[in-house]
Amino acid sequence: MGLVEAQTTMSRDRDQDLLYLRSKLTDMEDRSWRVNIRLHGTPENEEGVDVQSFLRSALPKLTSLDLDPPIEFQWAHRVGPKRSGNRSRPRPIIACLLRHNQTRQILQAARKHGPFQMDQHDIRITADYSKETNDRRKAFLALRPRLRQLEIKYGLFDPARMWVTKKRSV
């Protein structure tokens, strides 16, 4: 085996190792964020100075869940710097719940119900994923209109795998 072939093989092995490590890192990041939820569409300054108190009272009302024990947070805040202008979208709120089962219940209610209404604003509650996982999930958006047009059933498994059901021919 020549020097160039050996270096090519080593480079290929390093590339495979890098892809493997990157996928493991993304998986670990997503697993550590399992207790996080994101609220999209909540008007700016609606939460006042205490985001956790706002969410503690708003989430059970929005989702119609009777959570026992009451929701507890490790932290909660708006994401990113304030946006200027009246026409800009409100920044999402991200919250880290103390109990994973409550996170799961809230996300299940959000999937069943769709957007919630709060003071005539649509509020969406989603899981929090890493940037890489969000990019993979967004890649499926282009397929959805075509699948609907063809009347093919589809869905998205967590974190970012799409399933498609083939129609049976009669």
Side-chain angles (χ1 to χ4, degrees):
M1 184 184 294
L3 180 63
V4 173
E5 291 172 337
Q7 287 178 338
T8 303
T9 302
M10 285 176 54
S11 176
R12 209 173 304 128
D13 290 345
R14 271 192 238 127
D15 288 348
Q16 288 176 346
D17 288 347
L18 181 62
L19 287 173
Y20 173 75
L21 291 173
R22 186 175 287 154
S23 72
K24 293 293 281 182
L25 179 63
T26 300
D27 181 58
M28 288 174 65
E29 195 172 3
D30 287 336
R31 286 176 190 269
S32 70
W33 292 2
R34 283 192 317 187
V35 291
N36 296 357
I37 58 171
R38 284 183 178 256
L39 280 81
H40 304 272
T42 307
E44 289 282 340
N45 302 320
E46 183 82 16
E47 71 279 4
V49 294
D50 190 1
V51 178
Q52 290 185 24
S53 293
F54 167 74
L55 291 176
R56 208 171 286 116
S57 65
L59 282 173
K61 290 178 193 172
L62 285 173
T63 59
S64 301
L65 291 173
D66 183 23
L67 298 170
D68 187 38
I71 299 174
E72 291 182 73
F73 299 94
Q74 291 184 27
W75 47 262
H77 60 84
R78 291 266 182 189
V79 177
K82 269 197 166 183
R83 297 178 179 154
S84 60
N86 294 343
R87 308 193 105 207
S88 64
R89 288 186 323 218
R91 297 171 296 158
I93 293 176
I94 185 170
C96 180
L97 280 74
L98 194 59
R99 294 176 190 83
H100 175 66
N101 65 335
Q102 289 180 338
T103 303
R104 198 178 66 246
Q105 288 174 317
I106 291 169
L107 291 173
Q108 284 174 348
R111 274 187 220 107
K112 285 181 186 173
H113 187 276
F116 298 101
Q117 288 290 313
M118 175 189 284
D119 300 330
Q120 300 170 349
H121 295 281
D122 282 345
I123 308 296
R124 289 183 306 109
I125 301 173
T126 62
D128 189 30
Y129 294 111
S130 65
K131 181 182 178 344
E132 291 79 14
T133 301
N134 276 331
D135 290 344
R136 286 179 34 217
R137 290 174 70 90
K138 284 180 187 175
F140 295 122
L141 289 177
L143 298 172
R144 290 168 54 184
R146 181 69 177 145
L147 291 171
R148 271 193 221 111
Q149 181 184 13
L150 295 171
E151 297 179 1
I152 296 175
K153 289 185 178 187
Y154 65 92
L156 199 58
F157 286 122
D158 281 341
R161 290 181 301 161
M162 181 176 252
W163 60 265
V164 178
T165 303
K166 183 179 175 182
K167 286 194 234 180
R168 292 185 190 176
S169 53
V170 180

